[in-house]
Amino acid sequence: MASAEWRQCFKSETSEGIYANLIRSVGDDFHSMFAFHFNLFVLRECGDPIVDTVDMALEMLSDNDLFPDVQKLAEEKSDAKAEEFRLKGNAFFKYKKNVKAIEEYNKSACYAVSKEKISLAIANRSAVFFEMRMFRECLESIRMAREFGYPERLKEKLDRREANCKESLEEREPPRVGKFKPKIDLPVNEKIPFVAKCLALRHDRKYGRKIVTTKEIHAGTIIAIDEPFSKVLLGSTQYMRCATCLVEVPHLLFACNQCTQTMFCSQACQEEAMKDFHVIECPINGALFKIFDMGLRIVFRTVISAFLLFADPNTMAGAVMKIERERKNVFNFDWSGAVSAEQRYAPIHNMLTKEKKLKENSDFKNHVNTALIFNLLKNNSSQFSQRFLTSDKAEKFLKKIIFRYVVLCPMNAYSFDTIMENEHLDDFYYGGGMHGFRTLINHSCNPNICINTMGTRSVVMTVKKIVAGEQLFANYSCNFKYMEKSMRQLVLHKQHDFHCECVACTKNFPMLPFLREPKTIPKVPLHATRAHCCSCRFDVKNATEGFYAVRKYLRKYGHRYPTSQICIAEEELKYCLDIMSGNVPLVLREKARLIEL
């Protein structure tokens, strides 16, 4: 196939498509392929291998005209498009696909230029919430529709819905039980108030850095609540969740005034976003969502969030030199008072414990992705380039920082998820981020903690008794209950570059369906499991009762591991905590409601 035909076949604006086209262009003939590999070899052996190889990628992308056209990828606001999405929402609403209807109405509000079009979309959103019997959410959307100037000619319709809503609230909807607000169950560290006092950082030859407990901790104990340094939404959730706090509150969302990809739940969240990242991303948001997957958007967000902490590139470069020299992490700082820019950034920069790994990284794809991000910031973001790219030295520094996180993110970024009851990943993954504390917890296929994400927070809870001196182990999505050993080892080696030697691997624990179920261990308490009828499946009161019942069960029988009953109980504990905290996606709540009808 000719080169032009091949490019047409693989025509894509995504980073994957761009890389595929670039490599294909190099491989058109033997001489160009030889020259390509020879140049890579020379660059890695001489000079500055990271910057020089990124520069080579920039040149190749330019020569092959593969840089994406950001202007073409931009999604401009348009009342015509807004109306198109609103009508699409009407179609979903007609066929009882209510969650999809809400998403389309919010998308319509994002694309709308005129206040009338915005108000129509939000008013339509209120109708869906009324249909779903979510009367408080309906009233919030009615209030917002009026604030955006809902047309007088349609006022009677909205007034009637509001009156019906208030009447239904009084007659049918019982008072809602407040969501559980997680807090650390043990005395907290005075200098690190988001972790328990008994947690300490240790080092050894096998694990390197590790977190241990200095006191015995029982199962079902919350021991840390970690906030990320940077976080992003999954593209499929951008019209259902706030771009700043990541909470699913579609009834409160309003659009950014400039771009069509971002919604906020409050003025405070909008202001925080503008300070932390959106001032840079807003003009190029359309391109960001099309070119990069969530992993590379985490890289992009981490880089700009880091730079925005500092006044200029020289200040940041000086701070980075100090950070790399001192090798400090979360446990080396006092977080109880005011936090400096250097302190906020140091735990993230120092996720990489061996700087040599960066220079040894030979994956040209990482250099190409670095080049794509660099090009976006230099040539398509005047806000960033005018402030931070004032010299050749500053550009080289940026290339190194981007490359650092292109390499780091696949191993150190964490996804945010909700309660899991569906085979469709988009129904429960909603974002991801970079954490200074959470990244210090090592992996086991048989973890003794679980991590529940609530908005942006990571709530760390024990699922087993952990004795004094024992290490905390999380799970990097390779739990022995659901994945056999060879597959776990393959995934862990590919994604995290290590061979797991946890007890589940060394003893080759069977997967959950094949675990023994001793009759001497009672079943998990029925009222605590997922056996509820749909109407109370996600009831906070039921979940709270279930949580304490399962916790008591684990504290009594948890030592009988691994058995089917204990493994199920550990999963139920996490499940109940998700419900207690309101971490149930709207799509699941609506599914339960429709089944009940």
Side-chain angles (χ1 to χ4, degrees):
M1 185 183 289
S3 177
E5 291 174 340
W6 192 94
R7 283 198 189 90
Q8 187 64 30
C9 185
F10 276 78
K11 189 176 181 181
S12 172
E13 299 294 352
T14 67
S15 59
E16 289 287 340
I18 292 168
Y19 178 73
N21 281 327
L22 181 63
I23 295 304
R24 181 66 181 88
S25 68
V26 170
D28 279 347
D29 61 76
F30 173 80
H31 295 292
S32 59
M33 179 64 77
F34 177 81
F36 168 69
H37 286 290
F38 179 76
N39 288 337
L40 278 181
F41 172 79
V42 171
L43 291 175
R44 285 166 189 156
E45 295 299 316
C46 312
D48 189 331
I50 294 174
V51 172
D52 291 345
T53 310
V54 171
D55 285 342
M56 175 182 168
L58 285 166
E59 184 178 345
M60 290 174 66
L61 288 166
S62 178
D63 289 347
N64 288 278
D65 195 24
L66 288 173
F67 280 122
D69 188 330
V70 173
Q71 294 303 315
K72 285 185 178 179
L73 295 177
E75 295 283 345
E76 300 292 339
K77 287 184 180 285
S78 159
D79 278 346
K81 285 185 179 179
E83 183 65 10
E84 180 183 324
F85 295 129
R86 192 176 72 86
L87 293 175
K88 193 174 178 182
N90 289 348
F92 280 125
F93 186 40
K94 179 180 178 181
Y95 291 103
K96 305 294 184 183
K97 295 184 177 181
N98 293 327
V99 177
K100 291 297 294 181
I102 290 170
E103 185 179 348
E104 291 300 324
Y105 290 143
N106 279 345
K107 193 173 182 180
S108 174
C110 260
Y111 276 78
V113 177
S114 67
K115 285 192 172 182
E116 179 173 315
K117 290 293 184 184
I118 297 173
S119 70
L120 289 172
I122 294 174
N124 282 24
R125 181 175 81 188
S126 74
V128 187
F129 284 118
F130 185 82
E131 172 68 20
M132 295 168 71
R133 301 295 183 260
M134 298 176 68
F135 301 119
R136 292 177 178 86
E137 288 79 358
C138 176
L139 288 173
E140 283 288 348
S141 288
I142 289 172
R143 175 188 61 78
M144 290 179 67
R146 288 193 177 120
E147 286 180 357
F148 278 101
Y150 192 70
E152 280 292 323
R153 67 183 184 277
L154 302 173
K155 183 174 178 293
E156 183 181 342
K157 186 178 181 181
L158 204 63
D159 289 345
R160 188 165 59 250
R161 184 178 302 145
E162 181 182 39
N164 291 337
C165 204
K166 288 179 177 178
E167 182 183 341
S168 298
L169 256 180
E170 293 173 2
E171 294 179 358
R172 303 180 203 172
E173 188 172 343
R176 292 184 185 175
V177 179
K179 292 177 183 177
F180 169 75
K181 295 182 179 179
K183 62 182 181 61
I184 297 171
D185 293 326
L186 302 173
V188 300
N189 188 315
E190 291 85 356
K191 290 187 176 182
I192 317 172
F194 48 87
V195 304
K197 191 174 184 178
C198 62
L199 301 185
L201 188 69
R202 298 285 186 265
H203 296 77
D204 67 22
R205 186 172 294 179
K206 179 178 180 180
Y207 290 103
R209 298 183 300 196
K210 63 180 183 179
I211 296 179
V212 303
T213 176
T214 59
K215 293 184 178 180
E216 182 176 284
I217 309 175
H218 294 290
T221 303
I222 294 175
I223 55 176
I225 301 174
D226 193 22
E227 284 280 359
F229 172 80
S230 58
K231 71 275 185 185
V232 301
L233 276 176
L234 192 66
S236 60
T237 67
Q238 67 195 107
Y239 300 114
M240 296 295 287
R241 291 178 178 269
C242 173
T244 305
C245 67
L246 310 193
V247 176
E248 188 181 42
V249 279
H251 60 291
L252 294 177
L253 296 182
F254 61 91
C256 168
N257 293 329
Q258 303 299 321
C259 74
T260 58
Q261 311 293 323
T262 310
M263 302 193 84
F264 307 105
C265 69
S266 68
Q267 192 68 33
C269 276
Q270 185 178 33
E271 290 171 2
E272 183 182 338
M274 292 304 293
K275 177 172 67 74
D276 289 348
F277 60 88
H278 199 57
V279 66
I280 305 298
E281 291 186 3
C282 186
I284 55 175
N285 239 348
L288 280 177
F289 276 91
K290 287 187 174 71
I291 299 170
F292 301 130
D293 60 15
M294 190 177 76
L296 287 175
R297 285 196 296 111
I298 292 175
V299 173
F300 191 93
R301 179 72 57 84
T302 302
V303 169
I304 63 173
S305 296
F307 271 82
L308 288 171
L309 287 173
F310 300 93
D312 54 65
N314 292 331
T315 304
M316 182 177 175
V320 165
M321 288 180 64
K322 183 182 177 185
I323 287 167
E324 292 181 352
R325 182 173 65 251
E326 296 178 346
R327 308 303 304 169
K328 289 183 177 180
N329 55 64
V330 165
F331 284 86
N332 299 122
F333 293 104
D334 184 345
W335 301 88
S336 60
V339 178
S340 68
E342 180 185 316
Q343 180 177 338
R344 279 196 66 196
Y345 180 58
I348 303 301
H349 190 87
N350 284 334
M351 284 179 179
L352 188 70
T353 55
K354 295 180 180 178
E355 293 294 323
K356 192 169 76 168
K357 279 190 174 182
L358 283 181
K359 294 181 181 179
E360 291 176 347
N361 189 283
S362 59
D363 189 345
F364 187 58
K365 187 177 183 179
N366 288 335
H367 296 87
V368 172
N369 285 330
T370 300
L372 290 172
I373 294 174
F374 177 82
N375 176 68
L376 264 183
L377 288 171
K378 180 182 179 181
N379 298 318
N380 298 281
S381 177
S382 57
Q383 285 269 10
F384 188 91
S385 60
Q386 290 171 13
R387 178 174 169 182
F388 295 111
L389 299 180
T390 53
S391 66
D392 184 58
K393 182 180 177 182
E395 290 189 8
K396 288 181 179 180
F397 178 64
L398 174 61
K399 290 168 187 172
K400 289 182 178 181
I401 294 294
I402 296 171
F403 185 76
R404 184 182 200 87
Y405 292 109
V406 169
V407 174
L408 269 177
C409 263
M411 296 180 286
N412 291 277
Y414 293 92
S415 60
F416 301 139
D417 55 51
T418 65
I419 205 164
M420 298 185 186
E421 278 201 349
N422 199 302
E423 61 185 8
H424 300 296
L425 296 182
D426 284 358
D427 285 347
F428 56 85
Y429 284 125
Y430 62 86
M434 298 280 275
H435 298 73
F437 170 76
R438 184 174 171 180
T439 193
L440 297 173
I441 305 174
N442 289 318
H443 164 82
S444 171
C445 302
N446 175 41
N448 53 21
I449 65 166
C450 69
I451 300 178
N452 289 47
T453 49
M454 301 169 191
T456 61
R457 295 176 298 174
S458 293
V459 178
V460 183
M461 179 179 68
T462 58
V463 293
K464 294 179 174 67
K465 182 172 80 170
I466 308 177
V467 300
E470 189 178 352
Q471 182 178 177
L472 269 60
F473 285 107
N475 182 260
Y476 297 175
S477 300
C478 291
N479 198 305
F480 85 90
K481 300 169 192 172
Y482 310 112
M483 191 183 292
E484 55 91 21
K485 179 182 173 180
S486 61
M487 182 59 69
R488 297 198 308 268
Q489 294 288 1
L490 184 67
V491 172
L492 290 169
H493 179 73
K494 183 177 180 180
Q495 294 186 356
H496 301 281
D497 194 28
F498 71 86
H499 179 80
C500 184
E501 297 179 355
C502 71
V503 64
C505 288
T506 55
K507 294 189 176 182
N508 199 14
F509 285 175
M511 292 167 64
L512 181 58
F514 309 107
L515 281 172
R516 59 195 178 93
E517 190 174 353
K519 293 182 179 180
T520 53
I521 304 176
K523 291 186 179 294
V524 181
L526 279 178
H527 72 284
T529 66
R530 311 176 199 206
H532 286 302
C533 64
C534 289
S535 59
C536 56
R537 184 80 167 272
F538 304 123
D539 180 75
V540 173
K541 184 179 178 182
N542 285 335
T544 304
E545 291 176 359
F547 177 85
Y548 289 109
V550 174
R551 188 176 75 172
K552 182 179 179 181
Y553 177 92
L554 280 172
R555 289 180 179 183
K556 185 174 182 179
Y557 300 105
H559 62 285
R560 304 285 300 275
Y561 200 88
T563 58
S564 177
Q565 297 99 314
I566 304 306
C567 287
I568 289 171
E570 289 181 357
E571 294 302 306
E572 290 302 320
L573 196 69
K574 184 180 189 304
Y575 184 88
C576 289
L577 183 61
D578 271 325
I579 297 173
M580 290 163 64
S581 308
N583 196 26
V584 182
L586 185 59
V587 67
L588 277 186
R589 285 180 280 153
E590 173 64 0
K591 181 180 178 182
R593 186 188 73 84
L594 290 174
I595 292 173
E596 192 70 13
L597 291 177

